[in-house]
Amino acid sequence: GAVVSQHPSWVICKSGTSVKIECRSLDFQATTMFWYRQFPKQSLMLMATSNEGSKATYEQGVEKDKFLINHASLTLSTLTVTSAHPEDSSFYICSARPDPNTEAFFGQGTRLTVV
Amino acid sequence: QKEVEQNSGPLSVPEGAIASLNCTYSDRVSQSFFWYRQYSGKSPELIMSIYSNGDKEDGRFTAQLNKASQYVSLLIRDSQPSDSATYLCAVMKGSQGNLIFGKGTKLSVKP
């Protein structure tokens, strides 16, 4: 299957700081990437859809000024958690698909812990 | 009604048995369905995709889709302890193809 790489795999940061997470499609171009968040024992919740060259589309209840998404190229999308708080601690996962109508592949995920 | 519903389990089966995982969805126009496996602390990995009514087999896995009943299932034959994980049902939605996930069913295969 297609390869999606996410970095870092885990990060610990202090409250009030910002953290950037990268998502790369390694062997295909992705005009669209998706960012999910998963709290313990919960399912994946879509946060936003990242579109290359345009603004991201955020799901209801997700603060766009707090979760900044940049999709500057066809192989890279970044999610920046700004002014992080302990309640932002979660597992963040990106996904992308080579073809709009087929399966999506996921990055390894980023475990964010805000202390 | 939630968009994608799964029994959270846990579902416990003995090694070698058939595990049956079920999922229902609410959007009648959905066309693409996926099963992902997620081990604890890891991201989901694709097991099966299914797009038309009927059965689709891949090794020990069989996905079944019934669009009239808005129902999709996953059968795992000859279950192994390594199959112990949470299985997520996902339905594609929207023009950009984002996935809506169920809460997942936790499967435990006992040796």
Coordinates of all heavy atoms in Angstrom, one line a residue, chain A residues 28-108:
Chain A
F28 N 3.4 9.0 -3.3 CA 2.3 9.5 -4.2 C 2.0 11.0 -3.8 O 2.4 11.5 -2.8 CB 1.0 8.7 -4.0 CG 0.4 8.8 -2.6 CD1 -0.7 9.6 -2.3 CD2 0.9 8.0 -1.6 CE1 -1.2 9.7 -1.0 CE2 0.3 8.0 -0.3 CZ -0.7 8.9 0.0
Q29 N 1.3 11.6 -4.7 CA 0.9 13.0 -4.4 C -0.5 13.1 -3.8 O -1.4 12.3 -4.3 CB 1.0 13.8 -5.7 CG 2.4 14.0 -6.3 CD 2.4 14.9 -7.5 OE1 1.5 14.9 -8.2 NE2 3.6 15.5 -7.7
A30 N -0.7 13.9 -2.9 CA -2.0 14.0 -2.2 C -2.5 15.4 -2.2 O -1.9 16.2 -1.4 CB -1.9 13.4 -0.8
T31 N -3.5 15.7 -3.0 CA -4.1 17.0 -2.9 C -4.9 17.2 -1.7 O -5.1 18.4 -1.2 CB -5.0 17.3 -4.1 OG1 -6.0 16.2 -4.2 CG2 -4.2 17.2 -5.4
T32 N -5.3 16.2 -1.1 CA -6.1 16.2 0.2 C -5.5 15.3 1.2 O -5.2 14.2 0.9 CB -7.5 15.8 -0.1 OG1 -8.1 16.7 -1.1 CG2 -8.4 16.0 1.2
M33 N -5.4 15.8 2.4 CA -5.0 15.0 3.6 C -5.9 15.3 4.7 O -6.6 16.3 4.7 CB -3.5 15.3 4.0 CG -2.5 14.9 3.0 SD -0.8 15.2 3.7 CE 0.2 14.5 2.4
F34 N -6.0 14.3 5.6 CA -7.0 14.4 6.7 C -6.3 14.3 8.0 O -5.4 13.6 8.2 CB -8.0 13.3 6.6 CG -8.8 13.3 5.3 CD1 -8.3 12.5 4.2 CD2 -9.9 14.0 5.1 CE1 -9.0 12.4 3.0 CE2 -10.6 14.0 3.8 CZ -10.1 13.2 2.8
W35 N -6.7 15.1 9.0 CA -6.2 15.1 10.3 C -7.3 14.6 11.3 O -8.4 15.1 11.3 CB -5.7 16.5 10.7 CG -4.4 16.9 10.0 CD1 -4.3 17.6 8.9 CD2 -3.1 16.5 10.4 NE1 -3.0 17.8 8.6 CE2 -2.2 17.1 9.5 CE3 -2.6 15.7 11.4 CZ2 -0.8 16.9 9.5 CZ3 -1.2 15.6 11.5 CH2 -0.3 16.2 10.6
Y36 N -6.9 13.6 12.1 CA -7.8 13.0 13.1 C -7.1 13.2 14.5 O -5.9 13.3 14.6 CB -8.0 11.5 12.8 CG -8.7 11.2 11.5 CD1 -8.1 11.1 10.3 CD2 -10.1 11.0 11.6 CE1 -8.8 10.8 9.1 CE2 -10.8 10.7 10.4 CZ -10.1 10.6 9.2 OH -10.8 10.3 8.0
R37 N -8.0 13.1 15.4 CA -7.6 13.1 16.8 C -8.3 11.9 17.5 O -9.4 11.6 17.2 CB -7.9 14.4 17.5 CG -7.6 14.5 19.0 CD -7.7 15.9 19.5 NE -9.0 16.5 19.2 CZ -9.4 17.7 19.5 NH1 -8.5 18.5 20.1 NH2 -10.6 18.2 19.3
Q38 N -7.5 11.2 18.4 CA -8.1 10.1 19.1 C -7.7 10.1 20.5 O -6.6 10.1 20.9 CB -7.6 8.8 18.5 CG -8.3 7.5 19.0 CD -7.8 6.2 18.4 OE1 -6.6 6.1 18.0 NE2 -8.7 5.3 18.2
F39 N -8.8 10.3 21.4 CA -8.6 10.2 22.8 C -8.6 8.8 23.3 O -9.2 7.9 22.6 CB -9.6 11.1 23.5 CG -9.5 12.5 23.3 CD1 -10.3 13.2 22.4 CD2 -8.4 13.3 23.9 CE1 -10.2 14.6 22.2 CE2 -8.3 14.6 23.6 CZ -9.1 15.3 22.8
P40 N -8.1 8.5 24.5 CA -8.0 7.1 24.9 C -9.4 6.4 24.9 O -10.4 7.0 25.3 CB -7.5 7.2 26.3 CG -6.7 8.5 26.3 CD -7.4 9.4 25.4
K41 N -9.4 5.2 24.3 CA -10.6 4.4 24.3 C -11.7 5.0 23.4 O -12.9 4.6 23.6 CB -11.1 4.0 25.7 CG -10.1 3.3 26.5 CD -10.8 2.8 27.8 CE -9.7 2.2 28.7 NZ -9.0 1.0 28.1
Q42 N -11.4 6.0 22.6 CA -12.4 6.6 21.7 C -12.0 6.3 20.3 O -10.9 5.9 20.0 CB -12.4 8.1 22.0 CG -12.8 8.5 23.4 CD -14.2 8.2 23.7 OE1 -15.1 8.4 22.9 NE2 -14.5 7.6 24.9
S43 N -12.9 6.6 19.4 CA -12.6 6.4 18.0 C -11.9 7.6 17.4 O -11.7 8.6 18.1 CB -13.9 6.1 17.2 OG -13.6 5.7 15.9
L44 N -11.5 7.5 16.2 CA -10.9 8.6 15.5 C -11.9 9.7 15.2 O -13.0 9.3 14.6 CB -10.2 8.2 14.2 CG -8.9 7.5 14.3 CD1 -9.1 6.0 14.8 CD2 -8.2 7.5 13.0
M45 N -11.6 10.9 15.5 CA -12.5 12.0 15.1 C -11.8 12.9 14.1 O -10.7 13.4 14.4 CB -12.9 12.8 16.4 CG -13.7 11.9 17.4 SD -15.2 11.3 16.7 CE -16.1 12.8 16.5
L46 N -12.5 13.1 13.0 CA -11.9 14.0 12.0 C -11.9 15.4 12.5 O -12.9 16.0 13.0 CB -12.8 13.9 10.7 CG -12.3 14.8 9.6 CD1 -10.9 14.3 9.0 CD2 -13.3 14.8 8.4
M47 N -10.7 16.0 12.4 CA -10.5 17.4 12.8 C -10.7 18.4 11.7 O -11.4 19.4 11.7 CB -9.2 17.6 13.5 CG -8.9 16.8 14.7 SD -7.2 17.1 15.3 CE -7.2 18.9 15.7
A48 N -10.0 18.0 10.6 CA -10.0 18.9 9.5 C -9.5 18.2 8.2 O -8.8 17.2 8.3 CB -9.1 20.1 9.7
T49 N -9.9 18.8 7.1 CA -9.4 18.3 5.8 C -8.5 19.3 5.2 O -8.8 20.5 5.1 CB -10.6 18.1 4.8 OG1 -11.5 17.2 5.4 CG2 -10.2 17.6 3.5
S50 N -7.3 18.9 4.9 CA -6.2 19.8 4.4 C -6.2 19.7 2.9 O -6.1 18.7 2.3 CB -4.9 19.3 5.0 OG -3.8 20.0 4.5
N51 N -6.2 20.9 2.3 CA -6.3 21.0 0.8 C -5.0 21.7 0.3 O -4.7 22.8 0.8 CB -7.5 21.7 0.4 CG -8.8 21.1 0.9 OD1 -9.1 19.9 0.5 ND2 -9.5 21.8 1.7
E52 N -4.3 21.1 -0.6 CA -3.1 21.7 -1.1 C -3.4 23.0 -1.8 O -4.3 23.1 -2.7 CB -2.4 20.7 -2.1 CG -1.1 21.2 -2.6 CD -1.1 22.0 -3.8 OE1 -2.1 21.9 -4.6 OE2 -0.2 22.8 -4.1
G53 N -2.7 24.0 -1.4 CA -2.9 25.4 -2.0 C -4.1 26.2 -1.6 O -4.3 27.2 -2.1
S54 N -4.8 25.7 -0.6 CA -6.0 26.4 -0.2 C -6.2 26.2 1.3 O -5.5 25.4 1.9 CB -7.3 26.0 -1.0 OG -7.6 24.7 -0.8
K55 N -7.2 26.9 1.8 CA -7.5 26.8 3.3 C -8.1 25.4 3.6 O -8.8 24.8 2.9 CB -8.5 27.9 3.7 CG -7.9 29.3 3.6 CD -8.9 30.3 4.1 CE -8.3 31.7 4.1 NZ -9.3 32.7 4.6
A56 N -7.7 25.0 4.8 CA -8.3 23.7 5.3 C -9.7 23.9 5.7 O -10.2 25.0 6.0 CB -7.5 23.3 6.6
T57 N -10.4 22.8 5.7 CA -11.8 22.7 6.1 C -11.9 22.1 7.4 O -11.5 20.9 7.6 CB -12.7 21.9 5.1 OG1 -12.5 22.5 3.8 CG2 -14.1 22.0 5.5
Y58 N -12.4 22.8 8.4 CA -12.4 22.3 9.8 C -13.8 21.7 10.1 O -14.8 22.3 9.7 CB -12.1 23.4 10.8 CG -10.6 23.8 10.7 CD1 -10.2 24.7 9.7 CD2 -9.7 23.3 11.6 CE1 -8.9 25.1 9.6 CE2 -8.4 23.7 11.5 CZ -8.0 24.6 10.6 OH -6.6 25.0 10.5
E59 N -13.8 20.7 10.9 CA -15.0 20.1 11.4 C -15.6 21.0 12.5 O -14.9 21.8 13.2 CB -14.8 18.7 12.0 CG -14.4 17.7 10.9 CD -15.4 17.6 9.8 OE1 -16.6 17.2 10.1 OE2 -15.1 17.8 8.6
Q60 N -16.9 20.9 12.7 CA -17.6 21.7 13.7 C -16.9 21.4 15.1 O -16.7 20.3 15.5 CB -19.1 21.3 13.8 CG -19.9 22.2 14.6 CD -21.4 21.9 14.4 OE1 -21.8 20.9 13.8 NE2 -22.2 22.8 14.9
G61 N -16.7 22.5 15.8 CA -16.1 22.4 17.2 C -14.6 22.4 17.2 O -14.0 22.4 18.3
V62 N -14.0 22.4 16.1 CA -12.5 22.4 16.0 C -12.1 23.9 15.8 O -12.5 24.4 14.7 CB -11.9 21.5 15.0 CG1 -10.4 21.6 14.9 CG2 -12.4 20.0 15.2
E63 N -11.3 24.4 16.7 CA -10.8 25.8 16.5 C -9.7 26.0 15.5 O -8.6 25.5 15.7 CB -10.3 26.3 17.9 CG -11.3 26.2 19.0 CD -10.7 26.6 20.3 OE1 -10.2 27.7 20.4 OE2 -10.7 25.8 21.3
K64 N -10.0 26.6 14.4 CA -9.1 26.8 13.3 C -7.9 27.7 13.7 O -6.8 27.5 13.2 CB -9.7 27.3 12.1 CG -10.3 28.7 12.2 CD -11.0 29.2 10.9 CE -11.6 30.5 11.1 NZ -12.2 31.0 9.8
D65 N -8.1 28.6 14.7 CA -7.0 29.4 15.1 C -6.0 28.7 16.1 O -4.9 29.1 16.3 CB -7.5 30.7 15.8 CG -8.2 31.5 14.8 OD1 -7.9 31.5 13.6 OD2 -9.2 32.2 15.2
K66 N -6.5 27.6 16.6 CA -5.7 26.8 17.6 C -5.0 25.7 16.8 O -3.8 25.4 17.2 CB -6.6 26.2 18.7 CG -5.8 25.4 19.7 CD -6.7 25.0 20.8 CE -5.9 24.2 21.8 NZ -4.7 25.0 22.4
F67 N -5.6 25.1 15.9 CA -5.1 24.0 15.1 C -4.8 24.5 13.7 O -5.7 24.5 12.8 CB -6.0 22.8 15.1 CG -6.3 22.2 16.5 CD1 -7.4 22.6 17.2 CD2 -5.3 21.4 17.1 CE1 -7.7 22.1 18.5 CE2 -5.6 20.9 18.4 CZ -6.7 21.2 19.1
L68 N -3.6 25.0 13.5 CA -3.2 25.6 12.2 C -2.8 24.5 11.2 O -1.9 23.7 11.6 CB -2.1 26.6 12.4 CG -2.4 27.8 13.4 CD1 -1.3 28.7 13.5 CD2 -3.7 28.5 12.9
I69 N -3.4 24.5 10.1 CA -3.0 23.5 9.1 C -2.5 24.2 7.8 O -3.1 25.1 7.3 CB -4.2 22.6 8.7 CG1 -4.6 21.8 9.9 CG2 -4.0 21.8 7.5 CD1 -5.9 21.0 9.7
N70 N -1.3 23.7 7.4 CA -0.7 24.2 6.2 C -0.4 23.0 5.2 O 0.2 22.0 5.6 CB 0.6 24.9 6.5 CG 1.2 25.6 5.3 OD1 1.8 24.9 4.5 ND2 1.0 26.9 5.2
H71 N -0.9 23.2 4.0 CA -0.7 22.1 3.0 C 0.0 22.7 1.8 O -0.6 23.0 0.8 CB -2.0 21.5 2.6 CG -2.0 20.2 1.9 ND1 -3.0 19.3 2.0 CD2 -1.0 19.7 1.1 CE1 -2.6 18.2 1.3 NE2 -1.5 18.4 0.7
A72 N 1.3 23.0 2.0 CA 2.0 23.8 1.0 C 2.5 23.1 -0.2 O 2.8 23.7 -1.2 CB 3.3 24.4 1.7
S73 N 2.5 21.7 -0.1 CA 2.9 21.0 -1.3 C 2.1 19.7 -1.5 O 1.3 19.4 -0.6 CB 4.4 20.6 -1.2 OG 4.6 19.5 -0.4
L74 N 2.2 19.0 -2.6 CA 1.4 17.9 -2.8 C 1.8 16.7 -2.0 O 1.2 15.6 -2.0 CB 1.4 17.5 -4.3 CG 0.7 18.4 -5.2 CD1 1.0 18.1 -6.7 CD2 -0.8 18.3 -4.9
T75 N 2.9 16.8 -1.2 CA 3.3 15.7 -0.4 C 3.5 16.0 1.1 O 3.9 15.2 1.9 CB 4.7 15.1 -0.9 OG1 5.6 16.2 -0.8 CG2 4.6 14.6 -2.3
L76 N 3.1 17.2 1.5 CA 3.3 17.6 2.9 C 2.2 18.5 3.4 O 1.8 19.5 2.8 CB 4.6 18.4 3.0 CG 4.9 19.0 4.4 CD1 5.1 17.9 5.5 CD2 6.2 19.9 4.3
S77 N 1.7 18.0 4.6 CA 0.7 18.8 5.3 C 1.2 18.9 6.8 O 1.8 18.0 7.3 CB -0.7 18.2 5.3 OG -1.6 18.9 6.1
T78 N 1.1 20.1 7.4 CA 1.5 20.2 8.8 C 0.3 20.7 9.6 O -0.6 21.4 9.2 CB 2.6 21.2 8.9 OG1 2.2 22.5 8.5 CG2 3.9 20.8 8.1
L79 N 0.3 20.2 10.8 CA -0.7 20.6 11.9 C 0.1 21.2 13.0 O 1.0 20.6 13.6 CB -1.5 19.4 12.4 CG -2.3 19.6 13.6 CD1 -3.5 20.5 13.3 CD2 -2.9 18.3 14.1
T80 N -0.2 22.5 13.3 CA 0.4 23.1 14.5 C -0.6 23.3 15.5 O -1.6 24.0 15.3 CB 1.0 24.5 14.0 OG1 2.0 24.2 13.0 CG2 1.7 25.1 15.2
V81 N -0.3 22.8 16.7 CA -1.2 23.0 17.9 C -0.6 24.2 18.6 O 0.5 24.1 19.1 CB -1.2 21.7 18.8 CG1 -2.1 22.0 20.0 CG2 -1.6 20.5 18.0
T82 N -1.3 25.3 18.6 CA -0.8 26.5 19.2 C -1.3 26.6 20.6 O -2.4 26.2 21.0 CB -1.3 27.7 18.4 OG1 -2.7 27.8 18.5 CG2 -0.8 27.6 17.0
S83 N -0.5 27.3 21.5 CA -0.8 27.5 22.9 C -1.5 26.2 23.5 O -2.6 26.2 23.9 CB -1.8 28.7 23.0 OG -2.1 29.0 24.3
A84 N -0.7 25.2 23.4 CA -1.2 23.9 23.8 C -1.6 23.9 25.3 O -0.9 24.5 26.2 CB -0.2 22.8 23.5
H85 N -2.6 23.1 25.6 CA -3.1 22.9 27.0 C -3.1 21.4 27.3 O -3.2 20.6 26.3 CB -4.4 23.6 27.2 CG -4.4 25.0 27.2 ND1 -4.9 25.8 26.2 CD2 -3.9 25.9 28.1 CE1 -4.7 27.1 26.5 NE2 -4.1 27.2 27.6
P86 N -3.1 21.0 28.5 CA -3.2 19.6 28.9 C -4.4 18.9 28.2 O -4.2 17.7 27.8 CB -3.3 19.6 30.4 CG -2.6 20.8 30.8 CD -2.9 21.8 29.8
E87 N -5.5 19.5 28.0 CA -6.6 18.9 27.4 C -6.4 18.6 25.9 O -7.2 17.9 25.2 CB -7.9 19.7 27.6 CG -7.8 21.1 27.1 CD -7.5 22.1 28.2 OE1 -6.7 21.7 29.1 OE2 -8.0 23.2 28.1
D88 N -5.3 19.2 25.3 CA -5.0 18.9 23.9 C -4.2 17.6 23.8 O -3.9 17.1 22.7 CB -4.2 20.0 23.3 CG -4.9 21.3 23.2 OD1 -6.2 21.3 23.0 OD2 -4.4 22.4 23.5
S89 N -3.8 17.1 24.9 CA -3.0 15.8 24.9 C -3.9 14.7 24.3 O -5.0 14.5 24.7 CB -2.7 15.4 26.3 OG -1.8 16.3 27.0
S90 N -3.3 14.1 23.2 CA -4.1 13.2 22.5 C -3.2 12.5 21.4 O -2.0 12.8 21.4 CB -5.3 13.9 21.7 OG -6.2 12.9 21.1
F91 N -3.8 11.6 20.7 CA -3.1 10.9 19.6 C -3.6 11.5 18.3 O -4.8 11.5 18.0 CB -3.4 9.4 19.7 CG -2.6 8.5 18.8 CD1 -1.2 8.7 18.7 CD2 -3.2 7.5 18.1 CE1 -0.4 7.8 18.0 CE2 -2.4 6.6 17.3 CZ -1.0 6.8 17.2
Y92 N -2.7 12.2 17.6 CA -3.0 12.9 16.3 C -2.6 12.0 15.2 O -1.4 11.6 15.1 CB -2.4 14.3 16.3 CG -3.0 15.2 17.3 CD1 -2.5 15.2 18.6 CD2 -4.0 16.1 17.0 CE1 -3.1 16.1 19.6 CE2 -4.6 16.9 17.9 CZ -4.1 16.9 19.2 OH -4.7 17.7 20.2
I93 N -3.5 11.8 14.2 CA -3.1 10.9 13.1 C -3.5 11.6 11.8 O -4.6 12.2 11.7 CB -3.9 9.6 13.2 CG1 -3.8 9.0 14.6 CG2 -3.3 8.6 12.2 CD1 -4.7 7.8 14.8
C94 N -2.7 11.5 10.8 CA -3.0 12.0 9.5 C -3.3 10.9 8.5 O -2.8 9.7 8.8 CB -1.9 12.9 8.9 SG -0.4 12.1 8.5
S95 N -4.0 11.2 7.5 CA -4.2 10.2 6.4 C -4.3 10.8 5.1 O -4.5 12.0 5.0 CB -5.5 9.3 6.7 OG -6.6 10.0 6.3
A96 N -4.0 10.0 4.1 CA -4.1 10.5 2.7 C -4.4 9.3 1.8 O -4.2 8.2 2.2 CB -2.7 11.1 2.3
R97 N -4.8 9.6 0.6 CA -5.1 8.6 -0.4 C -4.6 8.9 -1.7 O -4.7 10.1 -2.1 CB -6.6 8.3 -0.4 CG -7.5 9.5 -0.7 CD -8.9 9.0 -1.0 NE -9.5 8.2 0.0 CZ -10.2 8.6 1.0 NH1 -10.3 9.8 1.3 NH2 -10.7 7.7 1.9
P98 N -4.1 7.9 -2.4 CA -3.5 8.2 -3.8 C -4.6 8.6 -4.8 O -4.4 9.3 -5.7 CB -2.8 6.9 -4.2 CG -2.7 6.2 -2.9 CD -3.8 6.6 -2.0
D99 N -5.8 8.0 -4.5 CA -6.9 8.2 -5.5 C -8.1 8.6 -4.6 O -8.4 8.0 -3.6 CB -7.3 6.8 -6.2 CG -8.4 7.0 -7.2 OD1 -9.6 7.2 -6.7 OD2 -8.1 6.9 -8.4
P100 N -8.9 9.6 -5.1 CA -10.0 10.1 -4.2 C -11.0 9.1 -3.9 O -11.8 9.3 -2.9 CB -10.6 11.2 -5.1 CG -9.5 11.6 -6.1 CD -8.7 10.4 -6.3
N101 N -11.2 8.1 -4.6 CA -12.3 7.1 -4.4 C -11.8 5.8 -3.7 O -12.6 4.9 -3.6 CB -13.0 6.8 -5.7 CG -13.7 8.1 -6.3 OD1 -14.3 8.8 -5.5 ND2 -13.4 8.4 -7.5
T102 N -10.6 5.7 -3.3 CA -10.1 4.5 -2.8 C -9.7 4.7 -1.3 O -9.8 5.7 -0.7 CB -9.0 3.9 -3.6 OG1 -7.9 4.8 -3.6 CG2 -9.4 3.6 -5.0
E103 N -9.1 3.6 -0.8 CA -8.8 3.6 0.6 C -7.7 4.6 1.0 O -6.9 5.0 0.2 CB -8.3 2.2 1.0 CG -7.1 1.7 0.2 CD -7.5 0.8 -0.9 OE1 -8.7 1.0 -1.4 OE2 -6.8 -0.1 -1.3
A104 N -7.8 5.0 2.3 CA -6.9 6.0 2.8 C -5.8 5.2 3.6 O -6.1 4.2 4.2 CB -7.6 7.0 3.7
F105 N -4.6 5.8 3.6 CA -3.5 5.2 4.4 C -3.2 6.2 5.5 O -3.2 7.4 5.3 CB -2.4 4.9 3.5 CG -2.7 3.8 2.5 CD1 -3.2 4.2 1.2 CD2 -2.5 2.5 2.8 CE1 -3.5 3.2 0.3 CE2 -2.8 1.5 1.9 CZ -3.3 1.8 0.6
F106 N -2.8 5.6 6.6 CA -2.6 6.5 7.8 C -1.1 6.6 8.1 O -0.3 5.7 7.9 CB -3.3 5.9 9.0 CG -4.8 6.1 9.0 CD1 -5.6 5.3 8.3 CD2 -5.3 7.2 9.6 CE1 -7.0 5.5 8.2 CE2 -6.7 7.4 9.6 CZ -7.5 6.6 8.9
G107 N -0.7 7.8 8.6 CA 0.6 7.9 9.2 C 0.7 7.2 10.5 O -0.3 6.6 11.0
Q108 N 1.9 7.2 11.1 CA 2.1 6.4 12.3 C 1.4 7.0 13.5 O 1.3 6.4 14.6 CB 3.6 6.3 12.6 CG 4.4 5.6 11.4 CD 5.0 6.7 10.5 OE1 4.3 7.7 10.2 NE2 6.2 6.5 10.1

